[in-house]
Amino acid sequence: MDTEPIAVALKFGFLAVLYLFLFWVSRSALRELRRTSAPAPEATGFHATAGPGGRSAATDASLVAVHGGGLSPGDRYDLFGGLSIGRSTEADVRIEDRFASSIHARLYSRGASYFVEDMGSTNGTFLNGTALEGEAELADLDQIKIGDTEMRFELELPGDG
C-alpha cells in the first residue's frame, strides 16, 4: 500500500492549521495594540479588570445596529474585549458612511462599566443626540450616532437571555 499521498495530505493539512493559527495570533495582537495605544493604561479598560475582556462577570453587553452604515437593523456585536467602529477594514464594526472616519469610535469596558470614546473623528460621535467629547460611560439603551448610522447599546444582566 502506498502511503505517500496520505503523508503529503497530512503535511498540507498541518501547514493549513499552522497558518490559520498564526493568522489568528497576529490578528489578536494587532487588535490589542490598537486598543492599548490610548495615552493612559487605566483608560483602556484592559487593566485592573473584574473579569475576562474587562467586563464584570455579572454583565454582558452588545451593540445593536438600528439603521444606516450598510448594517442590517438588529445586527448584534458582542462587546467582549471592546470594539472599534469606522470605515476602515481594520475596524471591528465596519460601516459604510461618508461621515465616518477610518477608526471613528471605540467601545470598551472598565470594571463593570462600558464606555464609548470618539477617536478624534472629523464629524464627531453623538451619544443620545449630544456631541461626545472624549469618553462617556454608557447606560442601557443609549443611542450612538456616527454620521447617518445609528446603533444602540444594550446591557444584559444574568438571566436575561
Side-chain angles (χ1 to χ4, degrees):
M1 180 171 169
D2 189 20
T3 59
E4 188 173 343
I6 295 172
V8 170
L10 288 173
K11 287 178 187 178
F12 280 111
F14 174 76
L15 285 175
V17 170
L18 179 65
Y19 280 112
L20 285 173
F21 174 76
L22 291 174
F23 174 77
W24 177 74
V25 168
S26 62
R27 183 175 163 107
S28 297
L30 285 173
R31 281 186 176 174
E32 189 66 24
L33 285 174
R34 261 198 331 260
R35 288 186 191 117
T36 58
S37 63
E42 61 273 11
T44 63
F46 292 97
H47 303 281
T49 59
R55 64 181 179 182
S56 167
T59 60
D60 194 8
S62 298
L63 184 66
V64 180
V66 175
H67 71 77
L71 305 174
S72 298
D75 281 353
R76 297 182 87 74
Y77 302 91
D78 185 14
L79 292 181
F80 179 77
L83 55 80
S84 60
I85 306 166
R87 281 192 344 247
S88 171
T89 56
E90 296 295 314
D92 298 315
V93 178
R94 187 174 187 279
I95 58 175
E96 298 167 10
D97 192 308
R98 61 189 172 144
F99 299 109
S101 298
S102 302
I103 300 293
H104 194 99
R106 71 180 183 130
L107 280 77
Y108 59 93
S109 61
R110 184 184 314 139
S113 300
Y114 287 86
F115 294 83
V116 60
E117 177 182 17
D118 183 84
M119 300 301 289
S121 66
T122 303
N123 295 308
T125 302
F126 294 84
L127 178 61
N128 298 321
T130 303
L132 184 63
E133 306 245 346
E135 69 177 21
E137 187 170 356
L138 291 166
D140 193 29
L141 304 179
D142 274 350
Q143 297 288 323
I144 299 166
K145 186 171 183 185
I146 296 173
D148 294 326
T149 306
E150 290 189 34
M151 294 162 275
R152 180 178 58 246
F153 171 77
E154 291 186 2
L155 193 59
E156 184 178 313
L157 297 172
D160 283 355

